Amino acid sequence: MHVDKQPCGLSPESEYVELAVEVFAMLADATRVKIILALRNSDELSVNRLAEVVGKSAPAVSQHLAKLRLARMVSTRREGTTVFYRLTDEHASELVIDAVKQAEHVVGHAPHHQQASS
């Protein structure tokens, strides 16, 4: 009996490959990465607070948040006229964390315990 050892969706022929590429494309923007990092450290933040944290204007951040919301990476809660954003789940945050760790390895600043031995 042949048992496929790769979980569903993780083979090169997976129907999810193109969708995974879209996820990476969504995160291929420094402002969006900063937004994800800011939200991973908070339960939720307003557009104005996120703008302060990422160093961009509120309208610019709002546009990025709209894209992240369409991609279902963030969700909202309204309180009066203020909209608060939060990560929908941990997956976008984990992707960004892994990308930052990869970047640390590329430039040689990864913590020693995470570097592979030669």
Side-chain angles (χ1 to χ4, degrees), residues 4-19:
D4 189 1
K5 295 184 180 191
Q6 290 192 333
C8 181
L10 295 181
S11 72
E13 299 84 22
S14 171
E15 63 186 288
Y16 300 109
V17 169
E18 293 302 319
L19 291 171

Side-chain angles (χ1 to χ4, degrees), residues 29-110:
D29 181 277
T31 300
R32 288 187 214 128
V33 168
K34 290 176 182 182
I35 288 169
I36 298 292
L37 289 171
L39 289 173
R40 84 175 265 277
N41 293 323
S42 303
D43 287 335
E44 59 184 18
L45 294 171
S46 68
V47 173
N48 289 335
R49 181 64 186 125
L50 278 166
E52 291 173 16
V53 171
V54 304
K56 298 287 182 178
S57 70
V61 169
S62 184
Q63 289 179 354
H64 287 289
L65 286 165
K67 291 177 182 180
L68 291 169
R69 188 173 179 198
L70 282 173
R72 297 183 181 158
M73 293 182 183
V74 298
S75 55
T76 62
R77 177 182 68 84
R78 182 176 294 277
E79 188 175 295
T81 59
T82 304
V83 178
F84 292 92
Y85 288 83
R86 66 186 165 282
L87 293 175
T88 302
D89 55 42
E90 73 284 352
H91 298 298
S93 176
E94 288 173 0
L95 283 170
V96 168
I97 291 166
D98 284 343
V100 169
K101 287 180 181 178
Q102 177 63 28
E104 290 174 337
H105 279 277
V106 168
V107 296
H109 293 119

